[in-house]
Amino acid sequence: MRRFLVAGAAIAACALTALAQQPPPDGPYKVLRAAKVGGEGGHDYIYADSVGRRLYIPRGAGRGGPAGTPPAPDAPKNRISVYNLDSLELVGEVPVIGSGNGAAVDPKSGHGFATTHPSITMFDTKTLKVLKQIDVAQGNSPDGIYFDPFNERVYSFSHGTHDATVIDAKDGSVVGTIDLGGTPEQAVGDGKGTLYVVMQDRPGGVAVVDVKAMKTTTHYSFGDAATGNGSCNGLALDAKNGVLFAACAGVGPGAARGTPGQPAAPPPPPAAPGAMPLTQMVILSAKDGHIITKLPLAGGSDGAVFNPATMEAFSSHSNGTMTIVKEKNPTTFEVEQNLQTMLGARTITLDTKTNHLFVMSEERGPAPPPPATPPPAGQRGGGPPIVPGSFTIVVVGIK
């Protein structure tokens, strides 16, 4: 009996995934601009400072040559590239020691912070000069980052130590750490002293943090191993109505996260042969964690935002799509549109002044032929090469 139930669930998952790939025939959003700004190196999170009118994108250094040889002297360095949020012209760059993941800004103090391995870089948002390097505990791997205006503190999230490093945005001092009980990704605060952090771990969930006590008070679960969601990377909040939007890359034991040209580590065996992981947005109550509904996404999410001006949640995906979910009321939600953006545009940010969304990616050439011998266990094979100078910022808005 259990076998038939699993097979039925797999068929339903395939059907819903197919549905997610069929966008509504029309919708209010379109790509307004695709600015090819260039610049080489990796990238992860994108961050819009709506007050300071700047866009922050951490960029990685150029890769070395064959057999791990050092990069050429003129190869790009690790830095935070800073753009004018309106014109998308490059304002300047913050030099950083290690590769960066994310950035956040305190508009009041004029201090910016970036998760740059193996430390956190604090910089002046006007001069773009580095103010200090903030050390973190051994084993800490700074990744996602969030500024909470409630207490003017910055939270840096570590996969390796399953915690958040708390920093005073005024002077860059480390206030302490918060045990999150899982692998954290995106976070969002309600402006009243509660921080929500989405967990990548299967079956997925949200850690609820009391920022005054600097303590995780509870966890909201997305279900069990068979019905929960894995690789949940995006989190958004309707603070007024207390609704959370968790964007996940898959459901059940076959869920896995991936990046174009760089597939994730092999996932656990799927629930049934041929079953397709179902990508979902889990919509739940911020007050008690009960799941209101789950809606299909057009791809594996790596970021989410909510716009209170339009009552819409947005999820960006590595397959080059963006799903827009409309909140009709606090208990009724629908997929309003699945929009094509750019392949690899997997993280997202919102400019609350213009209501524009920003994603980013680069063009890729043809995939190389498969190697004569498979790469060693635990190593990824080569993906399609990046086209030099093709790094692009994509702006999405109302037609």
Side-chain angles (χ1 to χ4, degrees):
M1 182 67 178
R2 183 168 179 265
R3 181 178 302 172
F4 289 108
L5 288 174
V6 170
I11 293 172
C14 292
L16 284 173
T17 302
L19 177 64
Q21 299 299 330
Q22 299 299 320
D26 195 13
Y29 288 87
K30 71 173 184 177
V31 172
L32 300 177
R33 183 182 178 189
K36 188 177 290 188
V37 296
E40 312 306 320
H43 53 88
D44 195 356
Y45 290 100
I46 183 171
Y47 177 78
D49 174 12
S50 297
V51 176
R53 310 307 300 157
R54 288 185 171 182
L55 186 70
Y56 296 85
I57 303 178
R59 302 300 306 274
R63 294 185 175 88
T69 56
D74 59 347
K77 304 295 191 295
N78 294 314
R79 76 274 189 201
I80 309 297
S81 295
V82 185
Y83 299 87
N84 181 296
L85 190 55
D86 299 298
S87 68
L88 297 184
E89 294 179 354
L90 184 67
V91 175
E93 294 185 320
V94 182
V96 296
I97 296 175
S99 59
N101 285 85
V105 165
D106 174 13
K108 187 175 181 180
S109 68
H111 293 156
F113 298 83
T115 45
T116 50
H117 304 277
S119 62
I120 298 167
T121 301
M122 178 180 177
F123 60 93
D124 186 295
T125 59
K126 292 182 179 179
T127 65
L128 302 185
K129 292 183 178 180
V130 174
L131 298 177
K132 66 188 299 186
Q133 296 292 334
I134 303 169
D135 294 329
V136 293
Q138 185 175 5
N140 188 292
S141 178
D143 189 308
I145 191 169
Y146 179 77
F147 168 72
D148 191 351
F150 172 78
N151 55 5
E152 280 192 270
R153 288 181 175 178
V154 173
Y155 298 82
S156 167
F157 304 99
S158 168
H159 286 188
T161 51
H162 292 181
D163 59 19
T165 298
V166 187
I167 300 167
D168 188 324
K170 295 184 291 296
D171 60 13
S173 61
V174 175
V175 180
T177 59
I178 302 172
D179 182 1
L180 298 170
T183 305
E185 266 293 314
Q186 194 172 357
V188 62
D190 66 356
K192 300 177 181 178
T194 301
L195 185 69
Y196 302 93
V197 188
V198 73
M199 299 286 112
Q200 281 191 331
D201 313 82
R202 195 179 317 279
V206 173
V208 183
V209 177
D210 181 336
V211 299
K212 292 182 180 178
M214 292 196 359
K215 182 179 180 180
T216 299
T217 58
T218 190
H219 285 87
Y220 298 154
S221 176
F222 294 161
D224 56 29
T227 62
N229 290 73
S231 299
C232 300
N233 303 311
L235 188 67
L237 171 67
D238 170 10
K240 180 181 178 181
N241 294 313
V243 178
L244 286 164
F245 301 82
C248 302
V251 65
R257 175 186 179 184
T259 302
Q262 295 183 338
M276 297 176 64
L278 174 63
T279 55
Q280 290 184 335
M281 179 173 282
V282 182
I283 303 174
L284 64 154
S285 167
K287 299 178 178 67
D288 59 19
H290 82 267
I291 295 176
I292 300 170
T293 188
K294 294 184 179 183
L295 295 177
L297 295 174
S301 179
D302 204 13
V305 294
F306 180 80
N307 188 351
T310 63
M311 301 303 290
E312 292 164 322
F314 304 81
S315 173
S316 53
H317 316 130
S318 59
N319 67 356
T321 60
M322 179 187 296
T323 295
I324 298 102
V325 171
K326 182 71 174 182
E327 180 179 334
K328 303 182 75 173
N329 60 57
T331 59
T332 307
F333 307 84
E334 66 179 12
V335 174
E336 182 178 35
Q337 186 179 358
N338 285 325
L339 176 70
Q340 194 72 40
T341 57
M342 183 177 182
L343 183 65
R346 58 190 178 86
T347 57
I348 186 170
T349 190
L350 168 69
D351 175 13
T352 55
K353 181 180 179 180
T354 63
N355 294 323
H356 290 168
L357 291 306
F358 296 80
V359 294
M360 60 186 172
S361 190
E362 64 277 301
E363 299 171 10
R364 291 181 177 268
T373 57
Q379 293 187 17
R380 296 171 173 173
I386 295 172
V387 176
S390 68
F391 183 73
T392 302
I393 299 172
V394 179
V395 186
V396 171
I398 297 291
K399 297 177 180 179

